[in-house]
Amino acid sequence: MAQLAGVSPKTVSRVVNDEAGVSEVKQGRVRRAIEQLGYRPNMTASRLRRADGRTAAIAALLEDIANPFSSALQRALEDVARERGVLIFAGSVEEDPERERALVHEFARRQADGLVMVPAGDDQAYLNRELSPDTPVVFVDRPPVGLHADAVLADNEAGAAAAVHHLVAHGHRDIAYLGDLRSIATARQRFTGYREALAEHGIGRNQAHVAHDLHTADAAEAAFLAMLDAPNPPTACFSAQNLVTLGAIRALRRRDRHTSVALVGFDDFPLADLLQPAVTVVAQDPYAMGRRAAELLFRRLDGETWDPSAHVVPTRLIPRGSGEIPYRSAST
């Protein structure tokens, strides 16, 4: 290749590895030779020759790549990484602490340059043993436990409180709560926002209308059907996760209550605006969260230092129809 391009082997190496110090003219000759010869660099060998020993790969541990929230996070990470010529390798932890640890171990064994993760377990201190000290870690959506590291989080309590305030403003006082697993920090935060917002309005919680640990649409549907079929059903519902919201919608439609019981969901989801009524949501911005996480990680890789901290991305309430259904008494 060097002979074809009319340059030295060292110049070819510099161009292939994106190193500085090569004129544009010589870069052009080398790249034309690469294209003509159909050359594909050996990335493993390239890494062994690099002074910094980096692999140009970042590991991402997400909750479930099939979930729209996780998909948006991954896309944002990829977009930022692509600007740097870096690849993202992603895996789903699926709320399983053992799976989380196994994925971390495999990514560490493959010497990923950095790690972005949505933790499933309640203790991430093991990362101090699993990763080298110079491997940066940024947490997304949930804060780390037992580890001092950067985290990019949504304002879960404020978002949940906004949903309750919105429903109360439309006359509702018996507002059901459908929540995800209590082992998840964000689920606990959203329940806290719900509970405190009710207290602000002097509204006591009806424990019969509170359901936790609903991690699937089917579980949420069953729980909400039981509430709707009870003698004194709720007049409104706050569903605290997008799959839980889908279950709530199914339950309302099965009982033909989707135009009489108000609903606000936490997390937007595809086609929410096309349902009848369209679904009012507290929207996070997973793409912004992913970009922020990637930017923090690459700043660490570039050598910047600072005391790790939480970076909070605000939520916003999007009124679409389901959350604006007014309270109607049973006699109406």
Side-chain angles (χ1 to χ4, degrees):
M1 184 187 301
Q3 184 176 5
L4 179 62
V7 298
S8 70
K10 180 61 177 177
T11 298
V12 172
S13 177
R14 285 176 174 170
V15 173
V16 169
N17 291 298
D18 291 322
E19 296 177 8
V22 182
S23 70
E24 291 186 8
V25 172
K26 289 184 177 180
Q27 285 185 46
R29 282 154 54 186
V30 171
R31 296 193 190 286
R32 284 192 294 273
I34 288 173
E35 185 175 346
Q36 184 175 340
L37 295 173
Y39 171 74
R40 294 293 180 270
N42 183 321
M43 297 306 295
T44 300
S46 175
R47 183 185 70 80
L48 292 173
R49 290 193 301 268
R50 289 179 59 176
D52 60 13
R54 291 182 181 172
T55 59
I58 299 298
L61 273 66
L62 307 176
E63 193 272 319
D64 179 0
I65 295 173
N67 186 294
F69 181 86
S70 295
S71 298
L73 276 179
Q74 182 178 352
R75 179 54 191 261
L77 296 172
E78 286 182 358
D79 285 350
V80 177
R82 184 177 175 83
E83 296 168 5
R84 307 278 298 242
V86 173
L87 292 176
I88 298 291
F89 295 103
S92 299
V93 297
E94 295 182 350
E95 303 306 341
D96 182 347
E98 291 304 315
R99 185 179 176 95
E100 173 194 314
R101 286 174 177 252
L103 284 169
V104 167
H105 177 76
E106 289 303 321
F107 283 132
R109 195 165 66 87
R110 288 164 174 75
Q111 297 182 303
D113 295 333
L115 178 64
V116 176
M117 68 183 294
V118 178
D122 57 3
D123 185 3
Q124 282 72 51
Y126 72 92
L127 290 173
N128 287 318
R129 302 184 300 273
E130 194 71 63
L131 303 177
S132 65
D134 59 348
T135 301
V137 182
V138 178
F139 290 82
V140 186
D141 189 44
R142 307 168 191 175
V145 178
L147 186 74
H148 196 38
D150 291 304
V152 180
L153 312 170
D155 197 344
N156 289 286
E157 289 188 23
V164 173
H165 294 319
H166 188 73
L167 291 168
V168 171
H170 286 82
H172 299 281
R173 296 183 69 82
D174 192 347
I175 302 170
Y177 174 85
L178 303 177
D180 204 340
L181 303 175
R182 280 172 286 188
S183 60
I184 301 174
T186 53
R188 297 194 298 271
Q189 292 164 0
R190 292 169 196 176
F191 182 65
T192 296
Y194 161 84
R195 183 184 64 216
E196 293 183 351
L198 288 179
E200 283 184 41
H201 293 283
I203 301 173
R205 274 179 291 138
N206 183 342
Q207 285 300 128
H209 294 162
V210 173
H212 296 283
D213 301 320
L214 309 172
H215 194 54
T216 66
D218 288 344
E221 180 181 0
F224 200 27
L225 281 172
M227 295 179 191
L228 294 173
D229 292 342
N232 297 298
T235 67
C237 176
F238 169 55
S239 53
Q241 191 249 29
N242 54 12
L243 295 180
V244 173
T245 300
L246 293 177
I249 293 168
R250 290 178 189 167
L252 289 171
R253 289 187 171 274
R254 283 186 62 177
R255 294 297 183 263
D256 197 26
R257 302 291 302 279
H258 55 287
T259 60
S260 59
V261 175
L263 173 67
V264 177
F266 202 109
D267 285 342
D268 207 354
F269 59 93
L271 306 182
D273 57 331
L274 299 181
L275 296 174
Q276 291 297 328
V279 183
T280 296
V281 298
V282 175
Q284 302 186 81
D285 192 341
Y287 188 85
M289 295 170 70
R291 282 201 69 94
R292 183 66 173 143
E295 289 163 358
L296 290 170
L297 191 78
F298 282 116
R299 284 174 58 193
R300 292 281 190 190
L301 286 169
D302 289 342
E304 291 189 47
T305 60
W306 63 85
D307 190 39
S309 60
H311 304 257
V312 178
V313 177
T315 60
R316 63 190 180 100
L317 189 139
I318 305 176
R320 290 181 176 140
S322 69
E324 293 69 61
I325 296 172
Y327 166 75
R328 299 186 186 95
S329 66
S331 59
T332 300

